[in-house]
Amino acid sequence: MKILARLVLAVVAVTTLAAAAVSQPAERGVTATEIRIGTTMPLSGGAAFWGVPISGAIDAWFKNINDAGGIHGRRLSLVVKDDGYLPPRAVANTRELVERDGVFALASSLGTANVFAARDYVIETQTIWITPLASADIWAGYRNKKYMFMTYPSYIDEGIFLTKYAAENLKTQKIAVFYQNDLYGQQGLLGVKRGIAQKGIKLATSVSYEVTDAEVTAQGLKLKESGADTVLLYATPRHGALIVREMAKLGFRPTLVSSFTLADPAMFALAGEAWNNVYLSAYFPLPGLDPRVDAVLATLSRINPALARNPFNAVAGVGFVEAFLEGLRRTGPQLTKDRLVTAMETIKNWDGEVMRSVTFGADRRQGTNRLFMIKAENGKYVKLTDWYSYPTKF
Amino acid sequence: MTRLLQYVVGGLTTGSLYALVALGIALLYRSSRVLNFAHGDLATFATFIALTLLARALPFGVAVGASLATAAAMGAGFYFFVLRPAKEGTLLGRIVITLGLALLLSGVMQLVWGNETQRFPFPLSDVPVLQFSGVVVSQISLGTIVASVTLMALLYVLVQRTRVGLAMRAVAQNAAAAQALGIPARRIYALTWGLASALGGAAGVLLAPAVYLDPFMMLDPFLKGFAGAVLGGMDSLPGAVLGGFLLGVAETIFAGFVSFKFKTTLAFGIIILVLLVRPEGLLGREYHRRV
């Protein structure tokens, strides 16, 4: 009899607990008053130039939203961890954010190699991941990315676009590529090679560097020797600035074309005169070219004045998360992962403050597929072309 | 031929900086057997001091002089207040202490000056270039080589031709015997630490205009300087200089004619090879401990 009573008690207890669990859909990182979001960024090392302003801007933008009451009464809090641009540290940080800090979503981890390294873990744990800053192409054909949404271009498509633009408009015949010897640079190089094949021009040479390299003397000499009329850059700001100065030093002045990754006006301060006349792509309207983007920059600078020094990277930081914020708004007060996914999938041709024409869907995770060309002139960027679209892949 | 010469010139510029770093490392190693892992961070710290002073519109010479003096004081202070009290510790323990100092300095720099990459103003520019039968040399490269070689020559005179230098050599050979003969060994050690740190600072100031300044600027040059010192002989000052120059030139030529991807690997490949074939380095003398 006693045993039966205990059994009944146990069953009652389990049922009650289960019922309690159902009535409180406790989503990790979400409370009645807070949504916790995490990111791992290079706050030190060779890519701090990107990581510091981008994470700073996301944090400032969250503060801005919190000051206005948050989203459905919940404040946004951001946990930032430094990975020094090292993939192993990025993986460790990501695990820590999910397992120890218990974040609801990951926002924009930076670096194609870093994202690539952490990808399997994030997908397996079914964590919401919004705009991992990696070439979009690493996701093409990758399965189970239900919880991943991105508004970041593909370096392959960008490489094709830049090469075709150079061949059609800058009289480029022989192109040389200066690239980072990791997945970021390799994807860019692949794009350039495809563009070259399409246009029937020549690859003069491709010259790589390591993120840890302090100087690029030999690379400059090699580029000069190649006899290229155009040099295309897939580099960190530091190495990009070093190589354009190195080429100028050698009296080698080819047409310079660069990935949008070097579009921050701070490049003028680093590379000086050598940064003038560089052609770049862009994937959102730059500060100075669009009043709404300027307003975002003004808000960011008011909250964190240091962000005004890296206007492009700061504004980009907002661009990476704003579709997610729109998704949170559309989800309503009852926030769960799956409800967020459903809400995100209703975003069609949506214009944010920074990112424009964002579209997601049941089988679409690549939110943007557009670029345009800009040129560095006298310490400023001017717009050269209208939007150009490339096909979406996932 | 012009092509090869151009690579050699490029290599000499980088090599001169490796040599300066190597010299600082070897100077300390030979006197105290301590491999100073904080050498690079001390150098970067000094460079930041120079940048701060330059931002206050101080003349270049004054700012750099003050920053080198700071580096020297920090090096000597580190010996006096941290390493000397820890003299009972093992050699490995002392080396780990320098690693701690490196982390501490790096943290302080990130806190005070931030992680941003910054331009370091320099009186010489890199755009006006000199041409020697097709070989291009920039003002800044020439300045770097000249300044490094001058510093090395001054150190040579100090160590080989002065009484202080004699004392330094005596302490390096046998500290106990030198002390018994009335040489203030601790002060000589502190002086050695100060000199080595100032040399590192000079390397930092010469490197910063060429590669930009951030708290991690010396990471790669420090490793290369260390490789250069091992190549030339950790025990020998001329060896360290030779090693630094050789490594700079070898690296640049290797990158230009063989592969960029294995440029950094080359330095470490060289270390392994030297340790296998000639552990004392090119100019080093075999180290015998008397029993």
Side-chain angles (χ1 to χ4, degrees):
Chain A
M1 203 54 203
K2 237 181 185 177
I3 294 172
L4 188 70
R6 275 188 191 167
L7 204 66
V8 170
L9 253 174
V11 169
V12 169
V14 168
T15 332
T16 324
L17 278 174
V22 170
S23 65
Q24 282 182 344
E27 194 65 68
R28 186 187 63 217
V30 180
T31 67
T33 54
E34 188 196 34
I35 304 170
R36 186 177 295 176
I37 295 145
T39 186
T40 165
M41 289 262 173
L43 304 180
S44 57
F49 185 95
W50 290 319
V52 173
I54 289 174
S55 58
I58 296 176
D59 193 48
W61 196 244
F62 283 2
K63 281 205 179 86
N64 182 43
I65 289 170
N66 292 341
D67 290 346
I71 295 179
H72 299 301
R74 292 191 180 96
R75 296 171 58 78
L76 304 166
S77 71
L78 183 70
V79 187
V80 185
K81 290 193 192 295
D82 177 22
D83 58 39
Y85 206 38
L86 301 169
R89 274 176 68 187
V91 175
N93 284 352
T94 306
R95 291 185 81 106
E96 220 174 274
L97 285 167
V98 172
E99 289 165 22
R100 197 185 301 167
D101 300 303
V103 297
F104 171 65
L106 293 166
S108 300
S109 310
L110 194 155
T112 300
N114 296 15
V115 168
F116 192 76
R119 172 167 77 167
D120 289 348
Y121 172 79
V122 180
I123 294 296
E124 269 166 34
T125 52
Q126 302 193 334
T127 305
I128 297 275
W129 203 358
I130 188 72
T131 314
L133 301 180
S135 177
D137 278 283
I138 69 164
W139 295 105
Y142 192 82
R143 296 196 308 173
N144 304 328
K145 46 183 181 285
K146 177 182 174 188
Y147 298 102
M148 196 282 301
F149 293 85
M150 67 155 1
T151 52
Y152 193 74
S154 133
Y155 295 134
I156 296 184
D157 289 309
E158 191 205 20
I160 298 174
F161 172 59
L162 290 173
T163 310
K164 282 166 83 174
Y165 180 85
E168 285 162 14
N169 302 287
L170 308 174
K171 297 182 188 142
T172 294
Q173 287 298 320
K174 283 178 83 180
I175 201 161
V177 186
F178 175 72
Y179 69 101
Q180 185 164 305
N181 188 25
D182 69 3
L183 205 51
Y184 156 52
Q186 285 156 4
Q187 292 252 310
L189 177 63
L190 185 60
V192 176
K193 283 182 176 165
R194 289 191 187 165
I196 283 173
Q198 288 179 20
K199 280 283 142 194
I201 55 173
K202 271 190 187 155
L203 179 70
T205 187
S206 59
V207 174
S208 69
Y209 72 90
E210 304 297 323
V211 177
T212 47
D213 280 356
E215 46 79 39
V216 292
T217 317
Q219 281 91 338
L221 288 167
K222 195 85 183 173
L223 288 172
K224 186 184 179 186
E225 268 170 27
S226 76
D229 53 30
T230 303
V231 172
L232 210 144
L233 310 175
Y234 273 96
T236 64
R238 177 195 186 122
H239 292 98
L242 280 176
I243 196 69
V244 296
R245 273 177 57 199
E246 191 66 39
M247 289 189 286
K249 193 159 86 178
L250 295 168
F252 177 45
R253 291 200 172 270
T255 304
L256 291 171
V257 181
S258 165
S259 165
F260 62 80
T261 47
L262 303 189
D264 199 284
M267 286 302 289
F268 290 108
L270 280 186
E273 193 54 31
W275 199 248
N276 268 330
N277 298 318
V278 178
Y279 294 85
L280 303 101
S281 74
Y283 59 102
F284 60 81
L286 298 188
L289 300 176
D290 182 279
R292 277 166 66 199
V293 170
D294 290 344
V296 169
L297 185 61
T299 307
L300 294 176
S301 317
R302 179 171 50 78
I303 297 171
N304 179 356
L307 293 172
R309 288 205 299 269
N310 294 93
F312 171 86
N313 290 335
V315 166
V318 173
F320 300 145
V321 294
E322 57 179 353
F324 166 67
L325 300 175
E326 175 64 15
L328 288 178
R329 283 186 202 103
R330 291 187 186 194
T331 306
Q334 245 198 326
L335 178 60
T336 64
K337 267 190 327 198
D338 290 300
R339 281 176 57 85
L340 176 75
V341 168
T342 312
M344 291 290 288
E345 288 174 353
T346 65
I347 294 178
K348 307 272 180 224
N349 290 320
W350 176 79
D351 282 347
E353 299 304 312
V354 177
M355 213 59 83
R356 306 291 155 82
S357 190
V358 178
T359 299
F360 293 116
D363 50 2
R364 178 144 174 206
R365 290 295 180 264
Q366 193 176 6
T368 49
N369 59 329
R370 303 194 309 167
L371 294 165
F372 64 94
M373 286 299 291
I374 56 170
K375 187 186 180 191
E377 274 180 10
N378 303 318
K380 273 195 186 143
Y381 290 118
V382 291
K383 192 176 170 186
L384 290 183
T385 67
D386 210 350
W387 291 104
Y388 156 88
S389 299
Y390 51 87
T392 52
K393 293 173 188 145
F394 54 92
Chain B
M1 193 61 200
T2 314
R3 188 172 165 224
L4 183 66
L5 269 180
Q6 184 71 69
Y7 279 99
V8 171
V9 168
L12 284 178
T13 317
T14 359
S16 65
L17 294 166
Y18 293 168
L20 264 189
V21 175
L23 200 55
I25 296 173
L27 191 64
L28 277 182
Y29 180 79
R30 152 188 129 104
S31 69
S32 55
R33 300 278 142 198
V34 171
L35 177 62
N36 181 15
F37 275 104
H39 193 70
D41 292 276
L42 267 166
T44 317
F45 197 92
T47 316
F48 268 115
I49 300 267
L51 182 76
T52 311
L53 296 177
L54 284 170
R56 305 213 166 155
L58 256 75
F60 188 80
V62 178
V64 170
S67 77
L68 297 192
T70 315
M74 282 175 72
F78 179 66
Y79 168 73
F80 250 111
F81 299 112
V82 183
L83 270 193
R84 194 178 53 93
K87 65 173 184 262
E88 300 301 325
T90 59
L91 187 60
L92 187 66
R94 273 176 282 161
I95 293 173
V96 171
I97 291 178
T98 69
L99 201 58
L101 177 69
L103 292 172
L104 179 77
L105 281 176
S106 173
V108 169
M109 285 188 286
Q110 293 181 54
L111 213 64
V112 178
W113 289 288
N115 283 319
E116 272 171 68
T117 309
Q118 303 188 42
R119 221 179 156 156
F120 187 82
F122 203 66
L124 296 177
S125 151
D126 56 359
V127 181
V129 288
L130 314 164
Q131 295 248 9
F132 301 100
S133 59
V135 178
V136 180
V137 187
S138 74
Q139 238 184 39
I140 211 168
S141 305
L142 205 62
T144 306
I145 297 177
V146 170
S148 317
V149 172
T150 312
L151 282 171
M152 291 167 208
L154 284 177
L155 185 78
Y156 181 80
V157 172
L158 178 78
V159 174
Q160 297 295 339
R161 298 285 154 88
T162 63
R163 282 174 65 87
V164 177
L166 189 66
M168 282 169 75
R169 279 182 288 151
V171 171
Q173 266 183 5
N174 190 333
Q179 209 157 12
L181 290 171
I183 295 173
R186 277 181 306 191
R187 258 183 272 165
I188 293 294
Y189 274 133
L191 178 75
T192 314
W193 269 87
L195 265 178
S197 306
L199 271 181
V205 168
L206 289 171
L207 191 69
V211 306
Y212 301 116
L213 177 59
D214 67 34
F216 320 98
M217 173 185 81
M218 289 300 282
L219 216 61
D220 185 60
F222 169 73
L223 284 175
K224 301 289 174 60
F226 176 46
V230 172
L231 171 64
M234 289 288 278
D235 253 340
S236 151
L237 297 183
V241 171
L242 179 73
F245 274 111
L246 273 182
L247 185 65
V249 174
E251 216 184 47
T252 314
I253 292 180
F254 183 81
F257 291 87
V258 186
S259 159
F260 282 100
K261 292 190 177 137
F262 294 99
K263 186 179 148 208
T264 308
T265 321
L266 180 75
F268 301 101
I270 287 178
I271 290 192
I272 295 172
L273 204 68
V274 168
L275 289 178
L276 282 175
V277 179
R278 203 180 145 80
E280 64 275 19
L282 293 178
L283 298 186
R285 248 172 280 155
E286 218 174 320
Y287 180 63
H288 292 291
R289 187 178 288 277
R290 232 173 281 161
V291 189

